[in-house]
Amino acid sequence: MNKLRFLFVIVALLLSPAAAFSSDGEQHLDAHGDPLPPGASARLGTNRLKHTGPIGWVDFDKSGKFIGSTARDGSLRIWDSESGRQLKRIQLDLGLSTSGTFLGGERVAIAAGDGTVALYSHTDGRLISNWRKLGNIICASPGSSIFYAATSGEAKRVNAFSGEVSPLAKTDRRMDPVWMAISSDGTRLAWVGFNRGKAMGRADTSDEPSSLLLVFETKTGRLMAERPFQDGNCSRPVFGPSGELFVADSDGVLLQVDTNNGDILHRFGEEGAAPCMLAGGGSELVRCANGGLVERFSTGNREPLESWQLSSVDILQHAVSPDASCLVVAEGLHLRLFDLATGIERPRFESHRSPIASMAYAPDGKHLASGSNDGQLLIWDAQDGRVAGRFEGHISVVYGLAFTGDGKRLISGGRDGSIRLWDSETTKPIALLGQHEMAIFDVAIAADGSRMGAVTADGTARLWAADGKETLRIKGLRGVELSLAFSPDGEAVATAGRELQLWRTEDGKELNDWREFKSPLTCLAFSPDGGALAVGEMNRRVTLFEVASGEVLFTLDGHLGRVLDLAFDPSGKRIATISSGSNLVRLWSVSDGSLLDELGGYDSLPMSLAFSPDGKHIAVGGLDTNGVILEIPTK
C-alpha cells in the first residue's frame, strides 16, 4: 500500500482508553504486563517511558527512584526508574512546558513558556498552586521547599509550601534565560541567558555576547560572577558535589568556571563534539554531543572516564541520577535509561522510535513486519507483540512492505531510494534490487510470488521477476504520490497518482486508464478475487471500481481527512480504511458500501494498516510509534 508520504503537522488524539477485558473479565495485558486498550490483543512496542509528543524536560527526583518528564502532548509523567512503568500521568493546564524541578513533600514544579509555573503532587496528580508570569526557567536543590524562577533579566525565590514569592536578583543585560542550576548546598545559583536579538541579526546587538553565564549568591542575590560567550552559546550549567561549576562552550569544550569571579579555571574534553548538553550527578559530569555520543568525566580531576555511542540521533534532553549510576536521555517520544558504569540500556524496550509508516502480515499470520520513519524495519510475533527480529539497511522512511506468498522473503522500499529483498526468517539481506536517487513510494509482490514491483518519485514503475531480474519499466506516471498493486493472478499491475491506470505485466500494455481524478490518489488495493479495485483519495473519499468494465461500484464517504491507507479482508467482503483527523479504523461492506463498524484502540493518528490472513485482526501503526493488533468483533 501507499503510505503517508510526509508527517502531518497535526496534534495526535490524546486519548486515555480504559483497559481491555476479555469476555470472562480477565484484563488484557501487553508483553510487558501493561493494560491494552479496548479491542486490542497485542501491542507492538511499549507505553513504558514513552510520551505521545516530543519530550521537553526530564529529571530524577532526589531518591533516584522516580523520573519526571513533560512533553508537547501536554502531560507530566512520573516513571519508576527501575522498570520504566508509568506511575502517574498528569494532564497539564499550561502552555508548552519548558522546565521542571522536583521538590520536597512529593511535589514537582513545572514552568511554561508564558511564565506560568504550576506545582503538583507527583503521587496523586493534584494541582497545589500556580503562579502567573513567574518564570519560564526554574530549578531547585533536590528535595528542597524553595525553588528559583527566571524571566528576562530577573530571578525570583519561591517558597513552594507557603507560596511566597520574593525577588532575588536583576540584571540589565538583554538575555532570555535558558538554563539554571543551583549548587548542592543551595548557596549559588547559575543562570545562562541567550541573546535572541543577536541570533536574529539585529544590528543593535552586534557588540553584545551571544550568551551569558551569571552566578548569584542565593542568600543575598548578590552577583558573584559573570562570564560572557561572545560568539557562541553556553550549555546548561552543572554544579559538582563541592560547588564546582561546569559549562561547555559552543565548540563542546568543557570549562570549569570560578563562581567568585567568572574566570575559567580549567579547560578539558578538548576533543568534544559541538554542540553538546551537560548533566551531572554525584561526582560525575556527563556530556551528550551531537550524534548520540555520551562521555563521562570526573568532576574532581576532570579526567575522562568512559564514552559510548548510545544513540543515532542528537540527544537534546538528559539527566543523571543523584548517585551517578544511571543516565536518562530523551529520544523523540521515548526515554531511554542507561547504566553509567557499563553503557548498557536498562531496561531495554524493543520498539520503533519514530512513526510507523508501513505494515505487512506474513502469509501464515504468525508474524508481522513494520517499517518506520527513521528506516527501522522490525518483525514481530503477532501473538504477543514481541520483537522477533530486525532488518538493517534502510536509513529513511520505509514506505512499502510486502511478503512473498510463501512468507520466506520480504521486499521493502523507502525514501532512501533503495529497494531491498530480505530473508524474512533470518532477517539477512538477499539482494539490493535497486538504489535510486529518487524516493521509493510503494512496493508490492504478486500473490504467487512471481513478480515484485516498486514505484519511484520520478514517475517510474519497475517490475522484477522472482529471481531479481528486472522485466519491465513503466514511465511517465504523474502524481506527487504514487502507488501500485498487483492483481491477484499477477497478470496486471495498477498504478495510482493523478490517474488510475492498469497495465499488463507481461509487456506493459495499458489495459485501462480511468479518468483523471480531481484529487490526488493516496493508496489502492485489489479485492482478493481481482474483480474490484479500491482507491483512496486526498479528498476524504474511497472509490471502488469494477476492474472488467471500469465502472464505479460506489464511493465510501465520511472520512475526516485524506485517506491514508486501505485494505480488503481476505474474504473480500469488507474493506478497512484509515484517514487523517481520526484515530478510528472504519470497516465497510464491499457488497453495498455501508459502514459496518468503527474500531478504536489506537491512541494516535494511524498511518498504516494490515489485515491478518484469517481476517480476524487488523494491525494498525502510526504517529504513536507503537502499533496495536485489534480484534475484529464478530456480529
Side-chain angles (χ1 to χ4, degrees), residues 21 99 104 111 121 126 129 152 155 160 229 300 448 487 569 591:
F21 292 84
S99 182
S121 164
R126 177 171 46 92
S129 301
S152 183
F229 291 80
D448 61 3
S487 61
D569 80 342
S591 63

Side-chain angles (χ1 to χ4, degrees), residues 501-517:
Q501 297 166 282
L502 190 66
W503 315 83
R504 191 159 61 194
T505 55
E506 182 179 357
D507 56 12
K509 179 182 178 181
E510 189 172 12
L511 302 175
N512 203 340
D513 184 355
W514 282 269
R515 58 181 170 81
E516 182 173 336
F517 289 74

Side-chain angles (χ1 to χ4, degrees), residues 259-281:
T259 59
N260 293 313
N261 54 31
D263 290 346
I264 296 176
L265 300 176
H266 300 283
R267 293 176 180 268
F268 57 108
E270 299 287 343
E271 71 283 0
C276 69
M277 296 283 289
L278 288 185

Side-chain angles (χ1 to χ4, degrees), residues 319-330:
V320 177
S321 61
D323 63 359
S325 66
C326 187
L327 171 72
V328 59
V329 302

Side-chain angles (χ1 to χ4, degrees), residues 247-497:
V247 296
D249 65 17
S250 59
D251 294 323
V253 177
L254 302 179
L255 309 173
Q256 182 177 345
V257 180
D258 192 318
T259 59
N260 293 313
N261 54 31
D263 290 346
I264 296 176
L265 300 176
H266 300 283
R267 293 176 180 268
F268 57 108
E270 299 287 343
E271 71 283 0
C276 69
M277 296 283 289
L278 288 185
S283 59
E284 294 196 8
L285 186 67
V286 176
R287 175 172 64 185
C288 292
N290 271 5
L293 177 66
V294 174
E295 301 164 286
R296 295 167 53 214
F297 296 85
S298 166
T299 60
N301 59 20
R302 300 166 300 283
E303 291 295 320
L305 300 174
E306 191 64 82
S307 65
W308 303 282
Q309 189 70 43
L310 297 187
S311 176
S312 59
V313 300
D314 297 345
I315 297 173
L316 301 179
Q317 296 290 340
H318 70 297
V320 177
S321 61
D323 63 359
S325 66
C326 187
L327 171 72
V328 59
V329 302
E331 189 175 292
L333 311 183
H334 298 258
L335 295 173
R336 301 176 66 188
L337 287 167
F338 296 91
D339 188 301
L340 267 178
T342 63
I344 297 174
E345 189 168 0
R346 61 168 202 189
R348 179 172 175 81
F349 298 115
E350 293 276 8
S351 66
H352 284 292
R353 301 292 179 183
S354 66
I356 297 173
S358 53
M359 306 183 87
Y361 262 100
D364 63 5
K366 295 181 179 179
H367 292 92
L368 176 74
S370 61
S372 58
N373 280 10
D374 60 0
Q376 191 177 43
L377 179 53
L378 301 176
I379 190 164
W380 307 82
D381 185 309
Q383 301 302 310
D384 61 16
R386 295 184 185 275
V387 173
R390 60 178 60 242
F391 305 83
E392 302 289 347
H394 286 288
I395 59 174
S396 187
V397 189
V398 180
Y399 282 140
L401 291 173
F403 281 93
T404 55
D406 58 9
K408 294 182 179 180
R409 293 178 296 169
L410 176 71
I411 185 175
S412 63
R415 184 182 289 173
D416 59 9
S418 67
I419 306 169
R420 300 174 183 270
L421 188 64
W422 311 87
D423 184 310
S424 62
E425 295 179 353
T426 66
T427 71
K428 301 296 183 182
I430 296 175
L432 179 64
L433 299 181
Q435 180 66 58
H436 308 278
E437 294 182 0
M438 306 296 286
I440 308 300
F441 274 167
D442 201 7
V443 299
I445 295 180
D448 61 3
S450 62
R451 290 180 175 86
M452 299 173 286
V455 62
T456 55
D458 61 358
T460 302
R462 292 171 170 84
L463 303 187
W464 295 269
D467 60 4
K469 181 180 179 180
E470 185 173 331
T471 60
L472 183 66
R473 286 193 185 190
I474 303 170
K475 297 183 178 182
L477 304 178
R478 298 190 302 147
V480 177
E481 303 181 24
L482 298 168
S483 311
L484 86 165
F486 284 101
S487 61
D489 59 11
E491 295 182 0
V493 63
T495 59

Side-chain angles (χ1 to χ4, degrees), residues 224-237:
M224 302 295 295
E226 178 175 324
R227 183 75 199 180
F229 291 80
Q230 194 66 33
D231 298 318
N233 292 325
C234 171
S235 75
R236 172 195 295 166

